[in-house]
Amino acid sequence: MYIDLVRRVLEQAVDTYATEHGETVSTVLSQIREQIDKTSTEYRKDEPQIKYHDALCRLGYLYRHATANATLFELVVRESGELRSVVRASVDGKLEICAVGGGPGTELLGLVKYLLQCRLGFPRKVVFTVLDLVPQWAETWQQLADASEDELRKTLKDEKHACLVIAPVLLPLDATDASAFKSYAYQFGRANIIVFNYLFSERKTKLPNLKKTLKHLHSVAASGCVFVVIDRLEKNPTFMNDVVALFSDLFGVTVRAHTFRGTLDGDEQTADMGTMLNNVLGNPRVRFFTDMYRDPTVFWLVVTKP
């Protein structure tokens, strides 16, 4: 599902970009590949400089990482009893998710696939509050939301669930500036789930600032709100330990981090991206372990506000 949805969004976005800039699709794809190659080394830096304001950079991220990050969120929902309980409680009601540094909406894709595969019931409405400093992500997010709604309608033939609505709320906030969050107590207080997906690894040098933001979100969140972290597991365990300690101290409980070293689901085949995208852009990210020793490259944690 992920690869099919991402391919459709990419093809439409590339065609639109090529028309607007008077370029061929082939030229645009080559430029996207250049952006992918430029940013690949940035992710390992303490303060990555990634030009998400550039449409080609965003499309490169969507192609290379969206499917992987959606898979990870789906995995965490499946593995966490706390998250599964929240999702089940929203059946025939409303589910509200806040994605801090939410960018292109990979959590939405993960949730939709989980709902479709489990078939244990569906919310009537999913509200996604997306926090990201790059407002241009709104374009990609809406495209993925529309594609997800189409997938739900196509798969769910009965009228009861075919009307499931995905409602995005996009806030251009800096996650490292806690003061920016103070005007949105009602917005964050409604959240059932608050997700930090690869946020801390891109803001290593600003963990003290993120601690203040997290403290504010914790203070306004309702009881039962589930906080989720999915991030890069590095060779040096200090980073993961710092993030775990941050949540343990704030929530006053022992927080356990889990690791993952699997691959994409078997039904997600990179060949489904199409020959042209595969040949020019290379393969999307498909595995979560190192080349030599197959060490896991992802950690995640879940903790609930009592």
Side-chain angles (χ1 to χ4, degrees), residues 225-252:
C225 179
V226 181
F227 287 66
V228 182
V229 174
I230 303 171
D231 219 315
R232 184 174 295 110
L233 180 63
E234 302 180 346
K235 291 182 179 179
N236 185 340
T238 301
F239 167 63
M240 183 186 74
N241 292 340
D242 287 345
V243 174
V244 171
L246 191 159
F247 280 82
S248 295
D249 293 344
L250 179 60
F251 284 78

mmCIF file of all heavy atoms in Angstrom, residues 225-252:
data_model
loop_
_atom_site.group_PDB
_atom_site.id
_atom_site.type_symbol
_atom_site.label_atom_id
_atom_site.label_comp_id
_atom_site.label_asym_id
_atom_site.label_seq_id
_atom_site.Cartn_x
_atom_site.Cartn_y
_atom_site.Cartn_z
ATOM 1 N N CYS A 225 -3.108 10.167 27.316
ATOM 2 C CA CYS A 225 -2.417 10.502 26.064
ATOM 3 C C CYS A 225 -1.114 9.700 25.977
ATOM 4 O O CYS A 225 -0.339 9.646 26.938
ATOM 5 C CB CYS A 225 -2.116 12.001 26.021
ATOM 6 S SG CYS A 225 -1.224 12.525 24.533
ATOM 7 N N VAL A 226 -0.877 9.097 24.832
ATOM 8 C CA VAL A 226 0.298 8.254 24.633
ATOM 9 C C VAL A 226 1.364 9.029 23.857
ATOM 10 O O VAL A 226 1.090 9.548 22.767
ATOM 11 C CB VAL A 226 -0.055 6.959 23.877
ATOM 12 C CG1 VAL A 226 1.179 6.084 23.712
ATOM 13 C CG2 VAL A 226 -1.151 6.201 24.618
ATOM 14 N N PHE A 227 2.563 9.098 24.425
ATOM 15 C CA PHE A 227 3.701 9.745 23.778
ATOM 16 C C PHE A 227 4.547 8.664 23.107
ATOM 17 O O PHE A 227 4.866 7.639 23.720
ATOM 18 C CB PHE A 227 4.540 10.503 24.800
ATOM 19 C CG PHE A 227 3.902 11.769 25.308
ATOM 20 C CD1 PHE A 227 2.737 11.733 26.067
ATOM 21 C CD2 PHE A 227 4.471 13.010 25.038
ATOM 22 C CE1 PHE A 227 2.145 12.902 26.533
ATOM 23 C CE2 PHE A 227 3.889 14.186 25.495
ATOM 24 C CZ PHE A 227 2.719 14.131 26.250
ATOM 25 N N VAL A 228 4.914 8.899 21.837
ATOM 26 C CA VAL A 228 5.644 7.908 21.045
ATOM 27 C C VAL A 228 6.914 8.531 20.475
ATOM 28 O O VAL A 228 6.871 9.639 19.921
ATOM 29 C CB VAL A 228 4.783 7.389 19.869
ATOM 30 C CG1 VAL A 228 5.529 6.315 19.082
ATOM 31 C CG2 VAL A 228 3.452 6.868 20.378
ATOM 32 N N VAL A 229 8.035 7.829 20.586
ATOM 33 C CA VAL A 229 9.288 8.248 19.958
ATOM 34 C C VAL A 229 9.764 7.141 19.032
ATOM 35 O O VAL A 229 9.823 5.969 19.422
ATOM 36 C CB VAL A 229 10.391 8.537 21.005
ATOM 37 C CG1 VAL A 229 11.728 8.831 20.311
ATOM 38 C CG2 VAL A 229 9.992 9.701 21.895
ATOM 39 N N ILE A 230 10.069 7.494 17.804
ATOM 40 C CA ILE A 230 10.717 6.588 16.847
ATOM 41 C C ILE A 230 11.933 7.328 16.325
ATOM 42 O O ILE A 230 11.811 8.447 15.834
ATOM 43 C CB ILE A 230 9.782 6.227 15.675
ATOM 44 C CG1 ILE A 230 8.480 5.609 16.182
ATOM 45 C CG2 ILE A 230 10.484 5.284 14.695
ATOM 46 C CD1 ILE A 230 7.425 5.431 15.102
ATOM 47 N N ASP A 231 13.115 6.709 16.450
ATOM 48 C CA ASP A 231 14.305 7.466 16.060
ATOM 49 C C ASP A 231 15.475 6.551 15.731
ATOM 50 O O ASP A 231 15.380 5.326 15.850
ATOM 51 C CB ASP A 231 14.704 8.451 17.167
ATOM 52 C CG ASP A 231 15.174 9.788 16.614
ATOM 53 O OD1 ASP A 231 15.980 9.774 15.646
ATOM 54 O OD2 ASP A 231 14.757 10.830 17.128
ATOM 55 N N ARG A 232 16.568 7.187 15.344
ATOM 56 C CA ARG A 232 17.746 6.480 14.866
ATOM 57 C C ARG A 232 18.523 5.865 16.028
ATOM 58 O O ARG A 232 18.835 6.536 17.005
ATOM 59 C CB ARG A 232 18.643 7.453 14.102
ATOM 60 C CG ARG A 232 19.873 6.825 13.474
ATOM 61 C CD ARG A 232 20.628 7.829 12.624
ATOM 62 N NE ARG A 232 19.825 8.242 11.477
ATOM 63 C CZ ARG A 232 19.300 9.455 11.342
ATOM 64 N NH1 ARG A 232 19.491 10.365 12.269
ATOM 65 N NH2 ARG A 232 18.574 9.747 10.277
ATOM 66 N N LEU A 233 18.834 4.575 15.916
ATOM 67 C CA LEU A 233 19.684 3.902 16.890
ATOM 68 C C LEU A 233 21.120 3.988 16.387
ATOM 69 O O LEU A 233 21.464 3.400 15.359
ATOM 70 C CB LEU A 233 19.270 2.442 17.055
ATOM 71 C CG LEU A 233 20.088 1.621 18.052
ATOM 72 C CD1 LEU A 233 19.937 2.178 19.461
ATOM 73 C CD2 LEU A 233 19.670 0.158 18.013
ATOM 74 N N GLU A 234 21.947 4.724 17.104
ATOM 75 C CA GLU A 234 23.309 4.966 16.649
ATOM 76 C C GLU A 234 24.299 4.045 17.364
ATOM 77 O O GLU A 234 23.981 3.445 18.394
ATOM 78 C CB GLU A 234 23.650 6.437 16.875
ATOM 79 C CG GLU A 234 22.672 7.361 16.133
ATOM 80 C CD GLU A 234 22.988 8.835 16.333
ATOM 81 O OE1 GLU A 234 23.778 9.152 17.241
ATOM 82 O OE2 GLU A 234 22.436 9.655 15.578
ATOM 83 N N LYS A 235 25.500 3.940 16.819
ATOM 84 C CA LYS A 235 26.507 3.071 17.413
ATOM 85 C C LYS A 235 26.840 3.512 18.842
ATOM 86 O O LYS A 235 27.037 2.699 19.730
ATOM 87 C CB LYS A 235 27.774 3.081 16.551
ATOM 88 C CG LYS A 235 27.598 2.395 15.200
ATOM 89 C CD LYS A 235 28.900 2.392 14.412
ATOM 90 C CE LYS A 235 28.713 1.678 13.080
ATOM 91 N NZ LYS A 235 29.959 1.674 12.266
ATOM 92 N N ASN A 236 26.899 4.828 19.029
ATOM 93 C CA ASN A 236 27.110 5.355 20.368
ATOM 94 C C ASN A 236 25.754 5.394 21.083
ATOM 95 O O ASN A 236 24.851 6.112 20.659
ATOM 96 C CB ASN A 236 27.703 6.763 20.286
ATOM 97 C CG ASN A 236 28.059 7.329 21.649
ATOM 98 O OD1 ASN A 236 27.552 6.872 22.678
ATOM 99 N ND2 ASN A 236 28.922 8.328 21.665
ATOM 100 N N PRO A 237 25.579 4.636 22.178
ATOM 101 C CA PRO A 237 24.262 4.556 22.824
ATOM 102 C C PRO A 237 23.877 5.805 23.605
ATOM 103 O O PRO A 237 22.760 5.884 24.123
ATOM 104 C CB PRO A 237 24.424 3.367 23.775
ATOM 105 C CG PRO A 237 25.883 3.362 24.120
ATOM 106 C CD PRO A 237 26.591 3.805 22.860
ATOM 107 N N THR A 238 24.773 6.788 23.681
ATOM 108 C CA THR A 238 24.496 7.977 24.484
ATOM 109 C C THR A 238 23.227 8.686 24.044
ATOM 110 O O THR A 238 22.415 9.104 24.869
ATOM 111 C CB THR A 238 25.681 8.958 24.419
ATOM 112 O OG1 THR A 238 26.850 8.308 24.898
ATOM 113 C CG2 THR A 238 25.418 10.192 25.271
ATOM 114 N N PHE A 239 23.047 8.823 22.746
ATOM 115 C CA PHE A 239 21.878 9.546 22.236
ATOM 116 C C PHE A 239 20.583 8.877 22.686
ATOM 117 O O PHE A 239 19.692 9.520 23.242
ATOM 118 C CB PHE A 239 21.933 9.642 20.715
ATOM 119 C CG PHE A 239 20.647 10.075 20.078
ATOM 120 C CD1 PHE A 239 20.115 11.335 20.345
ATOM 121 C CD2 PHE A 239 19.947 9.224 19.229
ATOM 122 C CE1 PHE A 239 18.904 11.733 19.767
ATOM 123 C CE2 PHE A 239 18.749 9.615 18.655
ATOM 124 C CZ PHE A 239 18.227 10.874 18.932
ATOM 125 N N MET A 240 20.442 7.587 22.446
ATOM 126 C CA MET A 240 19.234 6.888 22.851
ATOM 127 C C MET A 240 19.030 6.978 24.357
ATOM 128 O O MET A 240 17.909 7.222 24.840
ATOM 129 C CB MET A 240 19.278 5.422 22.429
ATOM 130 C CG MET A 240 17.997 4.660 22.764
ATOM 131 S SD MET A 240 18.085 2.881 22.422
ATOM 132 C CE MET A 240 19.149 2.356 23.787
ATOM 133 N N ASN A 241 20.091 6.792 25.112
ATOM 134 C CA ASN A 241 19.987 6.848 26.568
ATOM 135 C C ASN A 241 19.533 8.217 27.046
ATOM 136 O O ASN A 241 18.761 8.329 28.003
ATOM 137 C CB ASN A 241 21.329 6.486 27.204
ATOM 138 C CG ASN A 241 21.708 5.026 26.986
ATOM 139 O OD1 ASN A 241 20.840 4.194 26.697
ATOM 140 N ND2 ASN A 241 22.975 4.716 27.110
ATOM 141 N N ASP A 242 20.009 9.268 26.377
ATOM 142 C CA ASP A 242 19.599 10.626 26.746
ATOM 143 C C ASP A 242 18.107 10.829 26.505
ATOM 144 O O ASP A 242 17.417 11.459 27.315
ATOM 145 C CB ASP A 242 20.411 11.662 25.959
ATOM 146 C CG ASP A 242 21.853 11.772 26.427
ATOM 147 O OD1 ASP A 242 22.155 11.267 27.515
ATOM 148 O OD2 ASP A 242 22.668 12.360 25.683
ATOM 149 N N VAL A 243 17.619 10.322 25.380
ATOM 150 C CA VAL A 243 16.190 10.466 25.062
ATOM 151 C C VAL A 243 15.343 9.666 26.045
ATOM 152 O O VAL A 243 14.324 10.155 26.553
ATOM 153 C CB VAL A 243 15.905 10.014 23.614
ATOM 154 C CG1 VAL A 243 14.398 10.027 23.335
ATOM 155 C CG2 VAL A 243 16.625 10.926 22.624
ATOM 156 N N VAL A 244 15.757 8.454 26.349
ATOM 157 C CA VAL A 244 15.025 7.621 27.307
ATOM 158 C C VAL A 244 14.999 8.292 28.680
ATOM 159 O O VAL A 244 13.955 8.335 29.349
ATOM 160 C CB VAL A 244 15.655 6.221 27.403
ATOM 161 C CG1 VAL A 244 15.034 5.431 28.559
ATOM 162 C CG2 VAL A 244 15.469 5.461 26.091
ATOM 163 N N ALA A 245 16.153 8.839 29.099
ATOM 164 C CA ALA A 245 16.226 9.507 30.398
ATOM 165 C C ALA A 245 15.318 10.725 30.451
ATOM 166 O O ALA A 245 14.696 11.014 31.480
ATOM 167 C CB ALA A 245 17.671 9.911 30.692
ATOM 168 N N LEU A 246 15.225 11.432 29.323
ATOM 169 C CA LEU A 246 14.368 12.614 29.258
ATOM 170 C C LEU A 246 12.912 12.234 29.568
ATOM 171 O O LEU A 246 12.240 12.899 30.366
ATOM 172 C CB LEU A 246 14.492 13.226 27.860
ATOM 173 C CG LEU A 246 13.898 14.612 27.575
ATOM 174 C CD1 LEU A 246 14.581 15.213 26.351
ATOM 175 C CD2 LEU A 246 12.407 14.548 27.338
ATOM 176 N N PHE A 247 12.430 11.162 28.974
ATOM 177 C CA PHE A 247 11.042 10.744 29.193
ATOM 178 C C PHE A 247 10.865 10.101 30.563
ATOM 179 O O PHE A 247 9.828 10.295 31.217
ATOM 180 C CB PHE A 247 10.606 9.792 28.078
ATOM 181 C CG PHE A 247 10.226 10.489 26.809
ATOM 182 C CD1 PHE A 247 11.186 10.893 25.894
ATOM 183 C CD2 PHE A 247 8.897 10.760 26.529
ATOM 184 C CE1 PHE A 247 10.831 11.548 24.733
ATOM 185 C CE2 PHE A 247 8.527 11.413 25.361
ATOM 186 C CZ PHE A 247 9.502 11.825 24.468
ATOM 187 N N SER A 248 11.856 9.336 31.009
ATOM 188 C CA SER A 248 11.767 8.712 32.331
ATOM 189 C C SER A 248 11.668 9.763 33.425
ATOM 190 O O SER A 248 10.852 9.650 34.350
ATOM 191 C CB SER A 248 12.985 7.812 32.572
ATOM 192 O OG SER A 248 13.005 6.730 31.672
ATOM 193 N N ASP A 249 12.496 10.799 33.332
ATOM 194 C CA ASP A 249 12.492 11.858 34.342
ATOM 195 C C ASP A 249 11.170 12.620 34.334
ATOM 196 O O ASP A 249 10.616 12.938 35.400
ATOM 197 C CB ASP A 249 13.654 12.825 34.099
ATOM 198 C CG ASP A 249 15.009 12.183 34.328
ATOM 199 O OD1 ASP A 249 15.043 11.104 34.951
ATOM 200 O OD2 ASP A 249 16.019 12.755 33.864
ATOM 201 N N LEU A 250 10.668 12.927 33.147
ATOM 202 C CA LEU A 250 9.458 13.734 33.045
ATOM 203 C C LEU A 250 8.223 12.966 33.523
ATOM 204 O O LEU A 250 7.380 13.512 34.244
ATOM 205 C CB LEU A 250 9.255 14.189 31.601
ATOM 206 C CG LEU A 250 8.014 15.039 31.329
ATOM 207 C CD1 LEU A 250 8.046 16.327 32.148
ATOM 208 C CD2 LEU A 250 7.907 15.377 29.845
ATOM 209 N N PHE A 251 8.117 11.694 33.145
ATOM 210 C CA PHE A 251 6.937 10.914 33.484
ATOM 211 C C PHE A 251 7.053 10.236 34.844
ATOM 212 O O PHE A 251 6.069 9.712 35.370
ATOM 213 C CB PHE A 251 6.667 9.868 32.406
ATOM 214 C CG PHE A 251 6.048 10.437 31.159
ATOM 215 C CD1 PHE A 251 6.818 11.110 30.221
ATOM 216 C CD2 PHE A 251 4.692 10.307 30.916
ATOM 217 C CE1 PHE A 251 6.249 11.639 29.075
ATOM 218 C CE2 PHE A 251 4.107 10.822 29.770
ATOM 219 C CZ PHE A 251 4.892 11.504 28.847
ATOM 220 N N GLY A 252 8.263 10.227 35.400
ATOM 221 C CA GLY A 252 8.458 9.628 36.710
ATOM 222 C C GLY A 252 8.307 8.125 36.731
ATOM 223 O O GLY A 252 7.924 7.534 37.750
#
